[in-house]
Amino acid sequence: MTSHRDQKLLPTIIGFLLFFFSTNIFASNDSVLDSVQNAAEELIKQQISLPEKGELKIEAAKLDNRLRFSSCSSPLAASLPGKQTLSGNVTVLVQCPTENWQLYVPVNVQLTLPKVVAAVALGRGMVLTPDKLSVQMIESRFQRGRSFDDPREIIGSKVKRSVKAGEMVQARDICLVCRNDSVIIRAGTGGLNIVTKGKALSDGAIGDEIRVQNTKSRRMIDAIITAVGEVTVKY
């Protein structure tokens, strides 16, 4: 027969067992959810090629621990449903093939790159000097048009469009060579190099092809902007 003392201990033992098993269940469930988050993040990492000097931050949303999933006896399968860009908020589908469950996981993706920004407000006609520019890490999804990662590329350029302090400086905002500017024309091939003067007939940034008039011959030519006040013609 069960003693009076044993009867008193029985509820305590039952309570302890219930606590022990419930704790293990929660721990196991948290482990499953962690695995789901890791699978979602790993998929994004595999999809993105990190550019030089770029920084990548990938963070899956914290999942509600009230969700209940059995441990998966096979590797989790992760995929990107639909057509999505890999920036900002991305949704990843994580599935357990053997246990037949799946979960959509929100993942925040931030790819940042070093870009030249205005250190001060830039007004039209202003000539860019080192103190007017700085470099900041900018999210790639906010980048539109052609930009620069080294201030030296655009020192000496003129501002065509006003740029607020902290904003990224884009090629459309400046002209490395501006219309009616006097330019140095370099032309040559192999060891022969000819230098003469000309006048720019349009605006452009480095690498742009613009029309230039040779000051001496008055001839119109197409040339590539290679530096501030300088264009190159290849024969």
Side-chain angles (χ1 to χ4, degrees):
M1 294 181 63
T2 303
S3 68
H4 182 68
R5 181 184 176 185
D6 291 339
Q7 288 178 346
K8 285 186 176 181
L9 286 174
L10 188 58
T12 302
I13 294 171
I14 293 174
F16 174 78
L17 291 173
L18 288 173
F19 173 79
F20 174 79
F21 284 115
S22 65
T23 301
N24 281 345
I25 290 172
F26 283 122
S28 175
N29 188 65
D30 286 343
S31 177
V32 172
L33 295 182
D34 287 343
S35 298
V36 170
Q37 289 177 296
N38 292 336
E41 292 176 350
E42 189 59 35
L43 175 70
I44 301 297
K45 289 179 185 177
Q46 294 172 2
Q47 298 290 322
I48 297 178
S49 178
L50 184 61
E52 185 181 0
K53 299 181 182 179
E55 296 179 359
L56 182 62
K57 182 180 179 182
I58 300 172
E59 185 174 14
K62 186 171 178 60
L63 301 175
D64 191 338
N65 59 16
R66 291 174 296 181
L67 295 170
R68 291 288 177 266
F69 294 101
S70 54
S71 296
C72 192
S73 57
S74 63
L76 294 172
S79 60
L80 289 170
K83 295 181 179 180
Q84 302 184 68
T85 56
L86 296 178
S87 62
N89 294 317
V90 180
T91 299
V92 176
L93 174 61
V94 179
Q95 297 172 296
C96 175
T98 52
E99 311 306 321
N100 197 30
W101 55 257
Q102 64 180 36
L103 185 64
Y104 288 94
V105 183
V107 180
N108 184 260
V109 182
Q110 292 183 8
L111 173 60
T112 57
L113 299 168
K115 293 297 174 182
V116 177
V117 301
V120 296
L122 305 177
R124 291 184 60 183
M126 186 179 289
V127 176
L128 296 182
T129 52
D131 60 303
K132 294 181 175 65
L133 302 170
S134 64
V135 176
Q136 292 182 11
M137 299 300 289
I138 304 292
E139 269 198 75
S140 60
R141 64 189 175 119
F142 296 133
Q143 298 177 21
R144 299 289 184 271
R146 187 176 172 189
S147 56
F148 308 93
D149 56 17
D150 188 342
R152 291 174 295 182
E153 295 179 82
I154 57 175
I155 296 299
S157 299
K158 290 181 183 177
V159 179
K160 293 195 304 181
R161 297 157 50 107
S162 297
V163 181
K164 295 178 181 178
E167 285 187 343
M168 188 167 56
V169 179
Q170 298 180 310
R172 66 182 182 182
D173 301 322
I174 61 174
C175 50
L176 208 62
V177 171
C178 302
R179 184 180 180 184
N180 294 326
D181 276 358
S182 294
V183 295
I184 297 297
I185 303 173
R186 296 186 182 277
T189 179
L192 181 63
N193 188 33
I194 301 171
V195 179
T196 187
K197 293 182 179 181
K199 183 174 75 170
L201 302 179
S202 57
D203 297 338
I206 195 165
D208 289 346
E209 184 177 83
I210 62 171
R211 294 287 284 174
V212 178
Q213 184 181 49
N214 186 306
T215 303
K216 290 183 179 180
S217 67
R218 315 301 293 177
R219 181 185 171 193
M220 305 292 185
I221 57 175
D222 293 322
I224 303 296
I225 298 175
T226 50
V228 177
E230 181 180 291
V231 297
T232 299
V233 180
K234 293 184 179 179
Y235 293 104

